[in-house]
Structure formats: structure tokens, C-alpha cells
Amino acid sequence: MYGSILAIFALLVGVFAMNLGFGLQATLLGVRAGVEGFPVTVTGFIMAMYYAGYIAGSLLSPRLVHKVGHIRVFSALASLASAAALLHAVFVTPPTWVLFRVMTGFCLAGLLVVSESWLNHASTNQNRGSMLSVYMVASLGATALGQLLLNTAPVGGMELFVLVSVLVSLSLVPIALTAHGTPALQPSVRMKIRKLFALSPTGAVGCFATGLINGSFWGMGAVYAHTAGLDTQGISLFMAMVVLGGILSQWPLGRLSDRIDRRLVLAGLAVAITIASLAIAKFGGVSHNAMFALGWLYGAAAFPLYAISIAHVNDVLSSEDFVPASSALLLLYALGAVFGPFIGGAAIETFDAPGLFYFNAVVSFALFAFTLKRLIFGHTVKDADKEDFISMPRTTAQVLEMAAQVVEEAHDDESAKP
């Protein structure tokens, strides 16, 4: 028992350090690109390539783990990601940054595949649901804190890239030293997107729209804040406020979606994102305090979209289809996240800083219109058929398998009751 607890603690410490470093890196690159004078559309393309690497890493990492093992894959990818962080500061050109962002995305996906499969293996039937929640808070919390590390050194220097490299390297230490057994890991099966859309149009569109919205923000949010006139401290606070809003809203909005039609919650969140985006575009350059408050509202509405879309799909699936469908939904999210930063960058180039949030307002309003149409003409899931909401980060298929086990265990508990 104590061995499992220590293994879980080591994994969470490693994940925390990893997300701390990568959270800092994403914002740092957006700001540094502006300092170096990269065209905004070029910056958008650079940031989008991270998600292209992430897709490749999500698909290929399970095969690597199956061949050579968790520790070797984690060690190799952590070392490669650490090196890529330093190389950003050595070769400061758009072509090299495109290569390094692809490398970073690939490595992070693989690191998360290993961490999440290991976390699932170390968890028990009694604590798996709790561990999933703790894992989400640790991931997002570290990402929020990573934004504040932007203030620890000059953006134009090399120190912050060194800090990212150190944090990613440190994430290897607790995981490499754990003595807990490693799980068997096979490539996951993915449902065809056409079948997924036929089963749950709202869930499929919701995940793709979430990728566009959140991908554009993660890729270009720091560029927006820099272009809008915020200094380094202001940029880090703005990014942190958005993440904090997402952390605090996940659970209450998820529980609300358990009690009413999830499509109503999705439609409400889409409206809230539209309003917050337009308000940031209108007032963000006028008042920094307004930008921070509206950023919190934006994050509170945008971050839960993925988990609620997943939950809506799961309400109409049989248990054996849960993981294949969720893997397809994750792919849809990642595809949206590839296009999001590039289109968001083009919007900033065309409409100046507010363009990013004009783009997000258009996407979120389109999501609202589609969801409203499904509310009127689509099939309504009965309350008895709904699964309980599970708050989860949008990372890899391994965390979806963990959530599937939580659902199956809940069903087994219900069946065992007299």
C-alpha cells in the first residue's frame, strides 16, 4: 500500500515539475517572438506546430513504451524536451523554432502517456477517481504557477529557457527513482470520427471548437497580451488568471451538467466565451484590471468545455465504446488546436491585438448556434442514462482510460448494492 502511495506521490511531483516548465515555456515563446520581431502569423504557425507534434507523440508513444519500457521512454523524451528548451535560446529563428516546437509537442505527449498510464496502474479502485481529480489540479495548478515564473528573469535573455530545461529535467528524478511496477501499455483503439459524429454531433463539434478556442489562446494569448501593451508581469498575471478561472469552474459546472441537459451547459458556456471574448477585445486595451477580470471569466467558461463535451458523448455510449470514442474526441481537439494558433495569429495580424478574441468569439458563437440547433432537433439523453461528470485534463488517451475505469467501478458498486 505504502509503495503505491509513494509511487503516486512521485508521479504527481514529476507531473507538477513538468507542467511548471512547459507552462512557462508556452508563454515565454509567445512574448519572446514579439521581442524578436517575428511576424504574428509566423508566430501563430510556430505555436501551432506544437500541437502537430503532440498528435504524433500521442499516436506513437504507446508503441515506443511497449517496445522499450516506461523508464527508457520517459528518460529519453525528458532529455530531448530539456534540450529543445535550451535550443530555443541558441537558434532564434522561425524555422528552428518550428522544429523545436514539434519536438516539444511530441515529447510532452509521450511524457504524459507514460505518467498517466503509470498513475492509473498505481491507483486502486478506491482512490482512482480522487487521483484523477488531484492529477487535474496538479497539472493546471502547475501551469498557472508557470506563468508567474515569467517574472523571474529578463524575457530577452537565456535564463528563462534554462529554467524550463531544469524543470523538465527535474521531472525525471522522482519517476526514475520509483520502484513501483510498470504497467503493460498497448496502442489504444480509436473510433472513426464519422461514427463519432453520428453518435454525438454536439460532443464532436464541442471538442473541435474547444481545440480552436483553447489552442488559439495557449498559442497566442501571450502574443495578444504583449501586443495589447502589457509588461512581463501583466502578461504572466493575465495568463495565470485565465488558468485559475478554469481550475475553479471545472467541478461546479460539471456537477451542474449532471443535473440538467449538458447541451444547455455547453450552450451557456459558448455564450459566456463569446461575451468575455468581445469584452476583452473591446476593453482589454483600455483597462488592465478589466482584462484580468475578463480573462478569469474567459478561462472559467473555456476550460470546462472539453470535459463536458466528453461527458455528453459518454452519456450515449456503451462502456466498451468509451475509450475509443474519447480517443477520437481527443484527436478532434488536437486538430482544432493545430488550426487555432495559426488562424488566431492571422486575426491579430488583420485586426491588431483584439483579433484573437474576435476569432474566439466567432468560434464560440458558432458552437452556441450548433448546440442550440441540437437542443431543438436532437435527441435528449434521459437523466437515468447519464454518467456522472468526471473532471479531467485534456491530455492523452491514457487519462481517458483511467476515467473509463472510474465509470465501470461506479457501475460495479451500484450493481453490488442489495
Side-chain angles (χ1 to χ4, degrees), residues 87-386:
L87 289 172
H88 279 93
V90 177
F91 302 100
V92 189
T93 65
T96 55
W97 276 26
V98 167
L99 173 62
F100 301 148
R101 286 304 281 166
V102 172
M103 288 170 56
T104 301
F106 183 93
C107 291
L108 178 57
L111 292 170
L112 290 175
V113 164
V114 173
S115 301
E116 291 169 359
S117 62
W118 217 334
L119 181 66
N120 190 23
H121 180 67
S123 301
T124 66
N125 294 351
Q126 289 72 36
N127 67 15
R128 185 167 284 109
S130 300
M131 286 302 101
L132 190 56
S133 298
V134 171
Y135 174 72
M136 189 210 72
V137 172
S139 299
L140 290 179
T143 302
L145 288 175
Q147 312 307 308
L148 302 181
L149 293 178
L150 194 67
N151 301 290
T152 58
V155 173
M158 190 169 183
E159 295 88 347
L160 289 175
F161 291 98
V162 173
L163 179 57
V164 173
S165 177
V166 169
L167 288 170
V168 175
S169 297
L170 287 176
S171 71
L172 174 61
V173 176
I175 294 177
L177 293 178
T178 183
H180 198 274
T182 58
L185 182 60
Q186 299 286 351
S188 58
V189 179
R190 187 174 63 253
M191 182 182 291
K192 291 184 178 179
I193 291 178
R194 181 182 300 178
K195 179 181 178 181
L196 174 65
F197 186 85
L199 288 171
S200 179
T202 304
V205 171
C207 277
F208 183 73
T210 304
L212 287 171
I213 293 167
N214 289 348
S216 67
F217 174 78
W218 279 120
M220 303 303 292
V223 176
Y224 158 79
H226 178 73
T227 307
L230 289 180
D231 58 13
T232 300
Q233 183 179 18
I235 294 170
S236 65
L237 285 174
F238 173 69
M239 298 294 288
M241 287 297 290
V242 174
V243 180
L244 183 61
I247 293 174
L248 296 177
S249 67
Q250 289 263 354
W251 188 84
L253 287 172
R255 290 305 179 211
L256 176 63
S257 75
D258 284 341
R259 291 169 171 78
I260 64 176
D261 193 324
R262 295 198 206 275
R263 293 172 299 178
L264 283 173
V265 179
L266 286 172
L269 290 176
V271 170
I273 297 169
T274 303
I275 293 172
S277 296
L278 292 175
I280 292 173
K282 179 69 175 178
F283 302 110
V286 178
S287 169
H288 293 168
N289 288 334
M291 187 189 298
F292 297 148
L294 291 168
W296 187 94
L297 174 61
Y298 175 88
F303 277 55
L305 274 178
Y306 175 76
I308 294 177
S309 296
I310 290 271
H312 177 64
V313 174
N314 292 337
D315 290 339
V316 300
L317 294 176
S318 57
S319 58
E320 61 269 17
D321 287 332
F322 181 94
V323 173
S326 298
S327 298
L329 288 167
L330 183 60
L331 177 61
L332 277 173
Y333 171 87
L335 289 172
V338 169
F339 290 105
F342 183 71
I343 302 174
I348 293 176
E349 189 78 42
T350 304
F351 301 104
D352 204 18
L356 174 65
F357 287 96
Y358 287 146
F359 165 65
N360 282 339
V362 169
V363 174
S364 56
F365 185 79
L367 175 60
F368 164 73
F370 184 85
T371 306
L372 183 63
K373 177 185 176 182
R374 296 301 305 171
L375 273 167
I376 297 172
F377 299 107
H379 170 71
T380 299
V381 178
K382 297 178 181 178
D383 289 342
D385 296 329
K386 293 176 73 172

Side-chain angles (χ1 to χ4, degrees), residues 12-38:
L12 291 175
V13 170
V15 166
F16 187 87
M18 188 195 315
N19 281 281
L20 199 62
F22 285 121
L24 167 62
Q25 185 182 46
T27 301
L28 170 61
L29 291 177
V31 179
R32 181 65 178 266
V35 171
E36 297 293 338
F38 290 2

